[in-house]
Amino acid sequence: MGKVFAFHGGIHPPENKKQSTRTPIRKAPLPKLLYLPLQQHIGMAASPLVNIGDRVLKGQMIAEPVGRISASLHAPTSGIIRSIGPHPVPHASGLESDCIVIESDGQDEWIEHQSIEDYTKLEPGTLIEHIRRCGIAGMGGAGFPTDVKLHLGDDHIVNTLIINAAECEPYITADDMLMRERAHEILGGIRIISHLLKPSHIMIGIEDNKSHAIHTLEQVLKGCELNIDIRVVPTKYPSGGERQLIKLLTDIEVPSGRIPADIGIVCQNIGTTTAIYRAVHHGEPLISRVVTVTGDAVAQPQNLEALIGTPFADLLDAANVYENKLYRLVMGGPMMGVTVEHDQIPVIKTTNCIIAATIDEMPPAPPEQACIRCGMCEQVCPAELLPQQLYWFSKGREFDKARHHNLFDCIECGACAYVCPSSIPLVQYYRFAKSEIRTEEAEQRKADHARQRFEARQARLEREEAEKEARRKARAEEAARAQQARKNNENAAATAEPAQDISALKTAAAVARTKLKKAQKALDAARESGEGDISALEAAVQAAQTSADQAQKALDSADKPSAPTAPAAGADIKQLKTAAAVARTKLKKARDALKNAEDKGLDGLDKLRATLSTLEQKAEEADKAFKDAENAASSSTEATPAAPVDMKALKQQVSIMRTKLKKAEAALEGLEGDERSQAEQALEELRQRHAEADQAFKAAEQAQIDAAAAQGVDLKQLKIDAAMARAAVTKLERALAKTEEEQERASLEAELVTARDKAEQLNKTLQQHEPA
Amino acid sequence: MTTVITAILILFGLAVVFGIILGYASIRFRVEGNPIVDQIDALLPQTQCGQCGYPGCRPYAEAISNGDAINKCPPGGQSTIEALADLLDVEAIPLDAEHGEEQAKTVAFIREDECIGCTKCIQACPVDAILGAAKQMHTVISSECTGCDLCVEPCPVDCIDMIPVETTIANWKWPAPAESRNLIATDRGRGELQQQEAH
């Protein structure tokens, strides 16, 4: 027996282990329903391989590992998959998580499984893969996938293997009973692990309160070829912590933020060694484990070999629970375990103990008092942290400082809270701070990720824009070249005919006009002030006037022949419309100018009036031309109702009509007398046309719907139409809620009613056709 | 006299030498861009939602570095304001309600039956978290969604919901321990009175 060192701190809580070691390990009765959480281990949740209704056999893989750090899941008995979905799982949050539910058929029928004849002849990789396929994860508490740990030999030099048999937490005796009853399995497991990791030294760390187990182990190890030491350590909580046990056995501290393998040490739990043994020598995956069922509220505290997925209620029944005495159900030990609220929570690979406690055994926590800075927490902290500081920082939400004080080295053993005279729930504070920091980090990662995506998108948009720009430029150049070529041709072909470039002429006229205006202004200014050479300025004005007149004349002469040809040729309504609009605008401007001039009593009124009258004439002409063309067009559309109706155009027309009508209505209010009656007439006409257009549109729409209904309706189109109609209704409703003006409200309401009707109609048609 | 002159000359010489070194260093080790903007940008939540009034997180970071208020980011909430105050050494002020309130984290969800495939939401998403093509159903990659809700407005059929992120075992947080009253035993009566007053 080698030397045993010591770790800092630790406590001696009442052990309460004797109760559950009186009877040997017993097989728990087969439960009716088994709940198998997909995540029973650290890492990614497993992914189901079975479907609801499938029959599975005992030992059949029902979920496969996802990613490197994950574990597979096997059916613990034969039966039918009843459901795959959320069910309460053993977790501090009390939340539900995805579970596979198996209804056992009571036959417990094994799938064909095979042991490995001689594992020493296998490649280490193949052997580890076999262990991975058996779904073995650390059974001590954390549930770290064992195959990952067995691969540690690949990139680390492992010189010491430590088998953790300390089982320091009160009440728990599962490992103790395993050692007493299945020591040869443990030795077999150790052999396999040592074959894979090739350590020079193997140590079994065991607390001195398990004398029976120590004796059995010593018997089994007699004559063993491996270099195995049983190191008996004094009973002190938490000597079973991985880092604490390493310190106890080797006096080496695992550096903060590193793993034991970094200093050449690998730890395995006793339970895990037996699981490895069964996987290799019997080909059995991890489907059951030993669970200590204890506490004052059960009549027979004992260790039960329970199938993974057995609800706690079944185990409590097996140990004869006193329902009336049961006050608190704890999963795990009293120091690090969590209280569970639900007795249908299943046993998972890491469930080593269930404590059914009475109120006297685990009374509710006394109220938290103020910290008196006694320093007892520091004295018991096995990680040599400063619990008091961490408490202040966690409470004050100064998480950065907490982190600098090595909050993440806290193993949450609860020793500090156990000794705290003020009953401060210290571990809760640390857990809270840890999860806040983790959340913050996750958010930071997400934000960085989002930034990356955003920047990538910006870059892409810029690139696309640049490409578009380049294409546009290329096209423009092409066009310019083509135009140049055409111009050259034209010039060459028809030099006799003066190029009547209207736009150039227009520009020239405009320039001349501006010049004239400027000259006039200068002249006015000079006259007013009585300074400067007035006669010279007058001459300049005169010259400008002549040039402007000339330019205008040239423009008119160029413009005229083209204008009348337009309506005859093609009758481009759009162009005509624009022309009419331009004319109207010009007219309006001229009117404004006239009014302005009249108001101010400026001279040149006559001229303005003259321009106005010509403009009026022009506007009328343009309007007329447009109307003629439009009438011709509308009569042509009216003439062909049988032709497939262009719904979109119709709709557009209706909306244009509506807008016109509204405008006309608005204009009407401003007018008086004679003009008013005229306008009213026009309005009436417009209304009629609007009604006609509306009718035409509606008829077309109805026809379309009917046609669709008649001939194997296009469901998708209908659906889209319905959705659009619904959206229109909601939009209108919103608009209605926003507007306050009476008139607008009324019109909106009317529109809403029609929109609703339409939506309803569409919905009806949709419903009629949907089942078909 | 000569000693004085030598001293002055030496000092002058040193000044020239150091001046040259510093001048060279300022060119050689020139920092590209404004580092404080990067630091501010790193603290912002990168939802790119524009609730601050700027077209994204980086423009807001630039605005902050030019003296804009630090309390215009509702998705970041008070913790972001505190982090910014820490970085810029200014007072942490409460969130400006004008720009919105701090809300629970959400992700966009497209009711796929109702989607008409108009691609408008895809164009609106600042982080390309919506998948789809014209006339095809769209869907949100929820792990990439930042919950900025910029896609909700452009949808012509209102088929996008912002649903709060569900608490699962993976993102569950330990709650803060309940605040105790910290009563002294002899003080209990008064404490109860105070508690009643507080309610």
Side-chain angles (χ1 to χ4, degrees):
Chain A
M1 237 183 255
K3 188 173 169 0
V4 170
F5 304 89
F7 66 92
H8 178 267
I11 51 171
H12 296 92
E15 284 174 26
N16 283 312
K17 291 198 186 228
K18 294 265 182 318
Q19 299 95 310
S20 52
T21 53
R22 284 181 210 128
T23 52
I25 299 173
R26 190 162 71 88
K27 258 200 154 63
L30 190 67
K32 191 85 202 108
L33 287 173
L34 289 149
Y35 303 92
L36 294 139
L38 291 174
Q39 174 125 47
Q40 308 193 5
H41 47 266
I42 285 178
M44 302 279 285
S47 139
L49 290 173
V50 288
N51 295 312
I52 295 169
D54 288 359
R55 179 162 193 269
V56 290
L57 295 175
K58 184 173 187 162
Q60 182 181 338
M61 193 191 281
I62 54 173
E64 61 180 350
V66 177
R68 182 77 200 84
I69 299 181
S70 186
S72 54
L73 199 57
H74 300 78
T77 184
S78 57
I80 310 288
I81 306 288
R82 276 286 161 244
S83 69
I84 300 172
H87 182 82
V89 293
H91 190 265
S93 64
L95 288 171
E96 301 193 339
S97 179
D98 282 349
C99 295
I100 297 176
V101 182
I102 298 178
E103 186 181 340
S104 66
D105 55 13
Q107 291 166 15
D108 217 20
E109 184 185 335
W110 265 101
I111 196 166
E112 210 170 290
H113 57 288
Q114 237 179 0
S115 62
I116 294 176
E117 288 285 318
D118 186 359
Y119 62 83
T120 51
K121 283 188 185 142
L122 275 183
E123 282 282 313
T126 323
L127 183 55
I128 295 173
E129 185 54 33
H130 174 78
I131 291 169
R132 179 175 159 91
R133 289 196 66 76
C134 286
I136 297 172
M139 292 162 81
F144 193 79
T146 302
D147 58 292
V148 182
K149 264 184 161 179
L150 294 177
H151 268 300
L152 283 173
D154 302 352
D155 44 6
H156 293 82
I157 299 165
V158 179
N159 42 41
T160 310
L161 171 67
I162 292 177
I163 303 300
N164 188 345
E167 202 170 50
C168 58
E169 244 195 286
Y171 285 96
I172 310 175
T173 55
D175 288 351
D176 186 4
M177 293 308 288
L178 262 184
M179 287 185 279
R180 290 187 201 189
E181 297 185 14
R182 301 180 191 168
H184 66 282
E185 286 188 8
I186 291 166
L187 180 60
I190 293 172
R191 278 208 179 97
I192 297 163
I193 300 168
S194 96
H195 166 70
L196 287 168
L197 293 175
K198 308 234 172 344
S200 51
H201 192 189
I202 302 167
M203 285 188 271
I204 301 176
I206 184 164
E207 276 190 344
D208 59 8
N209 59 2
K210 300 177 191 49
S211 43
H212 190 152
I214 296 168
H215 182 72
T216 325
L217 275 182
E218 274 170 353
Q219 293 297 317
V220 169
L221 287 182
K222 244 178 224 162
C224 174
E225 77 289 357
L226 290 169
N227 178 14
I228 302 182
D229 259 352
I230 298 175
R231 295 274 174 96
V232 180
V233 300
T235 301
K236 181 165 86 168
Y237 178 82
S239 60
E242 189 178 57
R243 281 153 200 255
Q244 284 64 42
L245 190 65
I246 290 170
K247 179 80 174 46
L248 271 175
L249 299 187
T250 64
D251 205 25
I252 301 173
E253 268 184 49
V254 182
S256 169
R258 310 292 290 275
I259 56 167
D262 292 332
I263 52 168
I265 297 171
V266 170
C267 280
Q268 290 288 358
N269 175 264
I270 284 287
T272 320
T273 58
T274 57
I276 291 172
Y277 172 85
R278 295 207 73 80
V280 174
H281 289 278
H282 298 275
E284 291 174 10
L286 177 51
I287 52 168
S288 71
R289 70 156 296 144
V290 178
V291 182
T292 309
V293 182
T294 181
D296 286 354
V298 291
Q300 284 115 32
Q302 59 188 305
N303 280 283
L304 290 167
E305 178 158 17
L307 296 177
I308 306 290
T310 309
F312 288 177
D314 288 56
L315 296 184
L316 292 175
D317 282 346
N320 294 327
V321 68
Y322 304 118
E323 290 285 355
N324 52 346
K325 278 168 83 180
L326 178 63
Y327 168 68
R328 203 143 84 124
L329 195 58
V330 175
M331 184 197 73
M335 303 297 296
M336 296 179 71
V338 289
T339 305
V340 294
E341 305 294 340
H342 200 294
D343 68 358
Q344 286 302 311
I345 287 176
V347 166
I348 59 169
K349 292 173 186 174
T350 56
T351 310
N352 47 12
C353 182
I354 300 169
I355 305 173
T358 59
I359 191 156
D360 297 330
E361 202 176 6
M362 288 191 189
E368 178 188 338
Q369 309 271 318
C371 172
I372 55 169
R373 297 185 182 264
C374 62
M376 274 157 84
C377 47
E378 187 275 326
Q379 281 166 28
V380 298
C381 179
E384 292 180 70
L385 301 174
L386 298 172
Q388 209 185 89
Q389 292 297 318
L390 292 175
Y391 160 66
W392 293 120
F393 295 142
S394 304
K395 195 173 181 178
R397 304 183 68 96
E398 292 175 281
F399 300 129
D400 270 353
K401 285 186 186 163
R403 209 209 302 232
H404 285 140
H405 278 71
N406 300 312
L407 173 66
F408 280 92
D409 285 342
C410 169
I411 58 166
E412 300 175 19
C413 65
C416 50
Y418 181 80
V419 297
C420 182
S422 292
S423 342
I424 302 172
L426 290 161
V427 178
Q428 257 195 63
Y429 279 102
Y430 307 149
R431 283 172 172 166
F432 159 69
K434 279 182 183 177
S435 61
E436 285 292 316
I437 292 170
R438 283 199 193 105
T439 314
E440 223 164 80
E441 275 173 355
E443 268 168 22
Q444 191 59 47
R445 270 200 302 279
K446 183 151 192 204
D448 288 342
H449 188 64
R451 180 184 12 253
Q452 240 176 29
R453 286 182 76 91
F454 177 64
E455 278 164 7
R457 181 189 149 91
Q458 292 297 97
R460 195 191 73 219
L461 290 182
E462 259 167 44
R463 199 181 58 235
E464 278 173 2
E465 194 58 40
E467 275 167 12
K468 226 176 172 176
E469 184 70 16
R471 274 205 300 275
R472 200 185 59 76
K473 240 181 210 163
R475 263 206 310 277
E477 267 168 32
E478 190 105 331
R481 260 206 301 281
Q483 205 167 14
Q484 192 66 39
R486 210 173 52 224
K487 223 179 218 169
N488 287 348
N489 283 347
E490 263 172 28
N491 280 352
T495 29
E497 207 177 314
Q500 283 184 337
D501 193 354
I502 296 179
S503 74
L505 276 174
K506 261 187 192 162
T507 326
V511 169
R513 270 203 302 279
T514 327
K515 268 186 188 160
L516 176 61
K517 254 186 208 161
K518 267 189 192 162
Q520 192 87 44
K521 230 183 227 171
L523 182 61
D524 287 351
R527 269 192 193 141
E528 234 165 77
S529 62
E531 277 168 27
D533 191 352
I534 293 180
S535 63
L537 276 172
E538 266 173 318
V541 171
Q542 203 67 38
Q545 181 83 46
T546 14
S547 69
D549 282 351
Q550 268 171 2
Q552 189 66 38
K553 226 179 247 169
L555 175 61
D556 285 350
S557 64
D559 220 358
K560 246 176 206 151
S562 64
T565 54
D572 190 355
I573 297 180
K574 207 169 168 188
Q575 211 169 337
L576 273 175
K577 203 173 172 186
T578 328
V582 168
R584 270 202 301 279
T585 326
K586 267 188 187 164
L587 186 59
K588 208 177 162 196
K589 269 191 189 161
R591 265 194 198 134
D592 283 351
L594 182 60
K595 212 177 173 191
N596 207 11
E598 270 173 347
D599 284 353
K600 288 186 183 161
L602 294 174
D603 43 28
L605 270 178
D606 288 341
K607 213 160 118 195
L608 271 174
R609 280 204 184 109
T611 352
L612 187 59
S613 68
T614 43
L615 275 174
E616 260 169 3
Q617 215 172 337
K618 261 193 193 168
E620 255 167 45
E621 263 172 37
D623 231 19
K624 212 169 156 193
F626 166 57
K627 267 182 193 152
D628 284 349
E630 202 183 33
N631 277 348
S634 65
S635 64
S636 74
T637 44
E638 269 165 27
T640 54
V645 196
D646 186 353
M647 289 293 289
K648 211 170 166 186
L650 264 178
K651 202 172 170 186
Q652 219 166 8
Q653 214 170 343
V654 172
S655 75
I656 287 169
M657 287 289 183
R658 204 186 302 136
T659 332
K660 266 192 189 165
L661 195 57
K662 263 188 199 162
K663 267 190 194 160
E665 274 170 342
L668 186 61
E669 267 165 50
L671 294 175
E672 268 171 27
D674 211 18
E675 278 178 68
R676 195 181 162 93
S677 65
Q678 255 178 24
E680 264 171 2
Q681 230 165 14
L683 186 61
E684 205 50 49
E685 205 178 315
L686 263 177
R687 265 199 194 126
Q688 214 173 337
R689 268 163 65 189
H690 173 235
E692 270 169 27
D694 211 23
Q695 230 161 15
F697 171 61
K698 269 186 191 147
E701 202 177 36
Q702 192 58 45
Q704 206 179 32
I705 291 170
D706 289 349
Q711 38 155 302
V713 190
D714 184 355
L715 251 181
K716 202 174 164 190
Q717 187 59 38
L718 250 181
K719 261 187 194 167
I720 291 171
D721 285 347
M724 289 281 257
R726 273 200 302 280
V729 171
T730 47
K731 269 190 186 160
L732 273 172
E733 275 170 348
R734 267 193 223 147
L736 192 59
K738 269 184 202 161
T739 51
E740 278 163 17
E741 268 177 65
E742 275 296 307
Q743 219 176 348
E744 233 174 299
R745 271 185 87 90
S747 70
L748 271 175
E749 264 165 16
E751 269 179 70
L752 184 58
V753 169
T754 44
R756 271 202 190 125
D757 282 351
K758 196 177 151 195
E760 238 166 66
Q761 208 173 355
L762 276 167
N763 263 346
K764 235 181 246 169
T765 357
L766 186 61
Q767 269 165 8
Q768 276 173 10
H769 294 290
E770 205 148 38
Chain B
M1 194 60 199
T2 45
T3 45
V4 174
I5 289 168
T6 7
I8 287 171
L9 280 177
I10 287 169
L11 283 178
F12 181 74
L14 282 175
V16 168
V17 169
F18 285 127
I20 289 168
I21 293 172
L22 283 175
Y24 173 73
S26 75
I27 295 162
R28 176 74 181 77
F29 302 109
R30 199 182 147 75
V31 178
E32 290 290 333
N34 190 352
I36 193 75
V37 173
D38 285 335
Q39 285 174 25
I40 297 171
D41 195 34
L43 293 177
L44 294 174
Q46 305 299 326
T47 49
Q48 321 292 351
C49 62
Q51 286 182 68
C52 52
Y54 296 95
C57 291
R58 188 149 189 106
Y60 181 43
E62 276 157 18
I64 290 177
S65 78
N66 291 329
D68 201 354
I70 57 169
N71 63 345
K72 293 186 176 176
C73 182
Q78 201 60 35
S79 57
T80 298
I81 292 173
E82 270 157 28
L84 286 173
D86 218 30
L87 175 71
L88 302 170
D89 201 17
V90 294
E91 196 76 18
I93 38 179
L95 186 67
D96 189 352
E98 202 182 292
H99 296 275
E101 279 160 23
E102 192 172 353
Q103 283 167 342
K105 290 240 169 318
T106 55
V107 287
F109 174 74
I110 295 178
R111 292 197 300 277
E112 287 160 0
D113 299 344
E114 290 167 42
C115 175
I116 56 169
C118 69
T119 74
K120 282 186 176 141
C121 52
I122 296 178
Q123 289 154 33
C125 180
V127 291
D128 281 337
I130 303 180
L131 209 63
K135 306 243 174 190
Q136 307 290 323
M137 182 197 82
H138 303 343
T139 197
V140 176
I141 310 169
S142 55
S143 61
E144 306 291 357
C145 177
T146 63
C148 67
D149 80 11
L150 291 179
C151 52
V152 174
E153 195 48 47
C155 180
V157 292
D158 279 332
C159 73
I160 304 181
D161 291 325
M162 297 305 296
I163 46 176
V165 177
E166 214 179 315
T167 312
T168 60
I169 284 187
N171 64 8
W172 176 79
K173 291 197 290 186
W174 279 93
E179 197 61 43
S180 66
R181 295 280 169 193
N182 282 337
L183 290 183
I184 301 168
T186 53
D187 227 14
R188 243 163 221 162
R190 216 171 62 197
E192 268 157 30
L193 272 179
Q194 280 165 352
Q195 278 177 35
Q196 277 167 10
E197 273 164 29
H199 280 300

